[in-house]
Amino acid sequence: IMMGLATFDFIKDNPRLDYAFETTDKVFLIIFTVELGLQFIYHGFQLLLNGWLVFDLIIILTSWSFSSVQIIRAFRIFRALRLVTRIKIMKNLILALFGVMPRMAAIGLMLCLIFYIFGVMFTQLFKDLYFDGYTEYNFFGSLDWTFFTLFQMMTLDNWASVARQVIKVYKWAWAPFTVFVIISGFIVVNLIIAVICDAIGALHADEKAKLQGNYDENNTDAGDSQNMDIREQLDTLEDQMEDLTRIQARTFHTLQYLTQQIQMQKVKQELQSKTTNFAEAAKSLRKVQSRRSQGMNASASDHEFEASLDMEEIVFETLKED
């Protein structure tokens, strides 16, 4: 506001008021610089990753660097754009416009192609009209003048006057003029307006969702959130599936190894039990043989014991082979 007031003559012609305004401007610049310094202390070099803070940095550095250049000082008014970073609705609007920039760029390329086609055609057809005294201005004398005239026609600014001056010479000239105005002034420009309205509609949808309690700021705030592309999400899921498959395969091999170890442990325990039983039976057999060698008659139970001992020995040998 003060920079706007400083443009009036009663300020510029009064040295005291002009000095007061310059001092006030310097004070505000110092305040902005201190604020940026505090931002740097808090964020560190991460400040350079925030587009809004980088925007503030460029404006403040430019204000200090060119404060002595009279022409550049006029651009200090761009510091008012810092309000965009402070007012949320304006910030969301700018972010929405940046979100539709790819579509705007496509429309802009198509518009440039249309301008070039009609620019070359109009220059070749009507370049001599001014030199022959048929037109008031040199509308189509060269390609750059033709582009400027086409831009005027696209904005519908007094385009009929230009067309009528040409139609006086060439009766058929209404056709290319009308086609260009329809394509550029109605179709392409309305496409740009439609894209911008779509971005504004998305903002209104977010506000409506916020009122209904369905608004998720972490997912919709493009300035603070980093949304992954769908393809990147699919690639991440594929990597996770591969990791899970490898983990499952390792788990299966581990379970198989443990099962084999348990089976081997059971076989060892059975062999150890059979070995113990066979050793006790062999000890009993030696006692029986010792009694026989001493001339004692073997009882019926001793014969049965020997038979069972022989069977145990056969089973033990079979288990050892296994």
Side-chain angles (χ1 to χ4, degrees):
I1 294 175
M2 294 189 64
M3 293 179 68
L5 292 175
T7 60
F8 288 96
D9 293 335
F10 71 90
I11 299 294
K12 297 173 64 176
D13 297 337
N14 190 329
R16 293 181 58 188
L17 291 177
D18 186 62
Y19 177 77
F21 271 73
E22 290 293 332
T23 304
T24 305
D25 179 74
K26 186 71 70 175
V27 169
F28 276 109
L29 182 57
I30 293 173
I31 293 173
F32 294 154
T33 306
V34 171
E35 179 195 8
L36 185 64
L38 294 176
Q39 293 279 8
F40 181 78
I41 293 173
Y42 179 76
H43 294 284
F45 287 100
Q46 296 293 326
L47 177 143
L48 300 177
L49 302 178
N50 189 312
W52 298 109
L53 295 179
V54 171
F55 177 73
D56 288 347
L57 176 64
I58 293 173
I59 290 179
I60 292 173
L61 289 179
T62 303
S63 299
W64 282 112
S65 301
F66 301 102
S67 60
S68 60
V69 182
Q70 186 65 29
I71 297 177
I72 302 298
R73 290 177 67 189
F75 292 95
R76 292 178 301 174
I77 189 60
F78 283 106
R79 291 209 302 264
L81 291 176
R82 298 180 75 251
L83 288 174
V84 175
T85 65
R86 302 297 184 266
I87 302 175
K88 186 174 180 58
I89 186 62
M90 295 178 63
K91 183 178 178 180
N92 291 339
L93 178 61
I94 297 298
L95 291 174
L97 292 178
F98 275 112
V100 297
M101 277 301 171
R103 286 181 285 176
M104 295 281 286
I107 297 174
L109 288 176
M110 185 177 68
L111 185 61
C112 290
L113 180 61
I114 294 171
F115 260 67
Y116 184 75
I117 293 173
F118 281 91
V120 173
M121 182 176 65
F122 280 21
T123 302
Q124 291 179 349
L125 292 176
F126 312 128
K127 65 182 300 183
D128 297 328
L129 293 180
Y130 175 73
F131 301 102
D132 294 338
Y134 293 111
T135 59
E136 183 180 0
Y137 298 101
N138 188 11
F139 294 119
F140 308 104
S142 61
L143 191 60
D144 53 343
W145 281 105
T146 303
F147 283 152
F148 184 78
T149 304
L150 292 179
F151 184 81
Q152 176 186 349
M153 295 168 58
M154 183 187 68
T155 59
L156 304 179
D157 178 25
N158 200 25
W159 72 274
S161 175
V162 179
R164 287 191 176 95
Q165 294 182 46
V166 178
I167 293 173
K168 287 181 180 179
V169 182
Y170 301 103
K171 301 299 181 181
W172 48 266
W174 63 269
F177 277 91
T178 305
V179 171
F180 176 78
V181 170
I182 291 175
I183 294 176
S184 62
F186 292 98
I187 297 178
V188 177
V189 173
N190 285 318
L191 279 176
I192 297 175
I193 295 174
V195 171
I196 296 175
C197 289
D198 184 51
I200 304 302
L203 283 180
H204 289 312
D206 292 341
E207 293 295 331
K208 185 177 179 181
K210 186 183 295 184
L211 291 175
Q212 295 176 350
N214 300 324
Y215 180 74
D216 189 357
E217 186 175 358
N218 293 327
N219 293 330
T220 56
D221 192 357
D224 299 328
S225 64
Q226 297 178 348
N227 297 322
M228 293 183 62
D229 187 73
I230 296 177
R231 187 178 298 275
E232 294 177 353
Q233 293 180 357
L234 291 176
D235 293 339
T236 303
L237 289 176
E238 289 178 357
D239 294 337
Q240 292 178 353
M241 289 295 296
E242 291 177 358
D243 293 337
L244 290 175
T245 303
R246 287 194 293 268
I247 293 173
Q248 186 179 8
R250 287 198 296 267
T251 304
F252 175 77
H253 290 307
T254 303
L255 291 174
Q256 190 175 16
Y257 174 77
L258 291 175
T259 303
Q260 293 177 354
Q261 291 296 319
I262 292 173
Q263 292 177 351
M264 291 295 296
Q265 189 68 24
K266 288 183 178 180
V267 170
K268 288 181 181 179
Q269 290 177 357
E270 291 177 359
L271 287 175
Q272 187 176 6
S273 177
K274 293 294 183 180
T275 302
T276 302
N277 294 335
F278 181 76
E280 292 177 356
K283 184 177 180 180
S284 300
L285 179 60
R286 283 196 296 271
K287 288 181 180 180
V288 172
Q289 290 176 350
S290 175
R291 283 188 295 174
R292 284 182 178 179
S293 63
Q294 292 176 2
M296 295 181 176
N297 294 327
S299 62
S301 60
D302 291 338
H303 290 294
E304 292 177 357
F305 179 75
E306 286 181 342
S308 63
L309 188 62
D310 292 338
M311 291 298 296
E312 291 285 345
E313 185 176 2
I314 293 172
V315 173
F316 178 72
E317 291 297 333
T318 303
L319 289 173
K320 284 177 64 178
E321 291 177 359
D322 293 340

